[in-house]
Amino acid sequence: MNYRVFFIILVVLFCMGCSKTTVVLLDSEKSQNSVLVSTKKGNSKLDSVGKFVDLKDKEKAPSRVKRMSQEKIKSRFAKALAASPEAPLKYILYFQPNSTALTEASEKSLLDAIASIAERSPCMVDIIGHTDTVGSSELNIKVSLKRANHIKSVLEGKGVEVVSLTAKGYGEEDLQVKTADNVDEAKNRNVEIFIK
């Protein structure tokens, strides 16, 4: 089962007048996945899928860490899992140097992103522009925002129905491929589209 975007799930269960919260670590589809559950009296680390603790009172330490089977998670938390949002989709579009012109492969990725937005409509879309490290930091902020706004205008032109559509430029911050200054790295000239 794909547990979508949830890393953990908190569920309050009522048993004979007392309340109990169960914290269980779900599959985030990432190689590293853990959470620290803390109260005033102690903490427990959940560091693999299916591990869980019960919390009965904030004045008491979490229960000892136990493991729950995938079948038990599915049955016990079926309603919460059914109500969980779909995992965000992410598309990365690459650009020609000093340009808002997409590479040929990214033209197809943009069409795929537009189709995904239409399928999930209404949804929220964030567009984040990036650059390589060639040029000044100030110029790269402008270039990255120009790329993000270009993709935003393409989406608006397609008439996609969204709850919100934002464009931001990060310049040479948060590089996809870490490089030194003044390095022409094609993978860093990109726009990320997040569909939520």
Side-chain angles (χ1 to χ4, degrees), residues 11 59 80 88 96-97 105 121 134 170:
V11 178
E59 300 297 328
Q96 303 294 337
S121 182
V134 174
Y170 284 12

Side-chain angles (χ1 to χ4, degrees), residues 11-163:
V11 178
V12 178
L13 302 171
F14 295 95
C15 57
M16 300 197 308
C18 66
S19 66
K20 173 175 74 170
T21 300
T22 298
V23 181
V24 60
L25 189 66
L26 301 181
D27 188 358
S28 68
E29 299 178 359
K30 302 209 184 272
S31 60
Q32 298 295 318
N33 189 15
S34 66
V35 66
L36 186 65
V37 181
S38 297
T39 67
K40 292 180 179 179
K41 295 292 183 177
N43 57 58
S44 297
K45 183 178 182 181
L46 306 179
D47 58 7
S48 65
V49 174
K51 284 191 175 179
F52 76 98
V53 292
D54 290 319
L55 301 168
K56 294 184 180 175
D57 186 329
K58 66 181 178 183
E59 300 297 328
K60 295 180 181 175
S63 71
R64 71 177 177 81
V65 176
K66 298 172 250 179
R67 182 171 300 282
M68 190 179 300
S69 71
Q70 294 302 311
E71 293 75 28
K72 176 98 177 191
I73 291 170
K74 286 185 222 177
S75 67
R76 186 171 173 188
F77 302 112
K79 287 182 181 178
L81 291 169
S84 67
E86 290 185 84
L89 295 176
K90 177 180 173 181
Y91 291 88
I92 301 178
L93 309 177
Y94 298 101
F95 292 83
Q96 303 294 337
N98 300 313
S99 169
T100 58
L102 290 169
T103 64
E104 191 174 318
S106 291
E107 291 282 354
K108 183 187 179 318
S109 293
L110 178 57
L111 295 176
D112 292 342
I114 291 168
S116 293
I117 292 168
E119 286 173 17
R120 289 202 174 188
S121 182
C123 57
M124 297 185 299
V125 179
D126 293 326
I127 304 163
I128 311 295
H130 301 277
T131 65
D132 57 26
T133 58
V134 174
S136 72
S137 205
E138 296 79 19
L139 176 63
N140 284 334
I141 289 285
K142 290 177 186 175
V143 170
S144 66
L145 183 58
K146 187 174 181 179
R147 287 176 177 154
N149 280 325
H150 172 69
I151 298 303
K152 179 181 179 185
S153 68
V154 169
L155 296 179
E156 289 170 336
K158 296 291 184 183
V160 296
E161 291 185 37
V162 295
V163 174

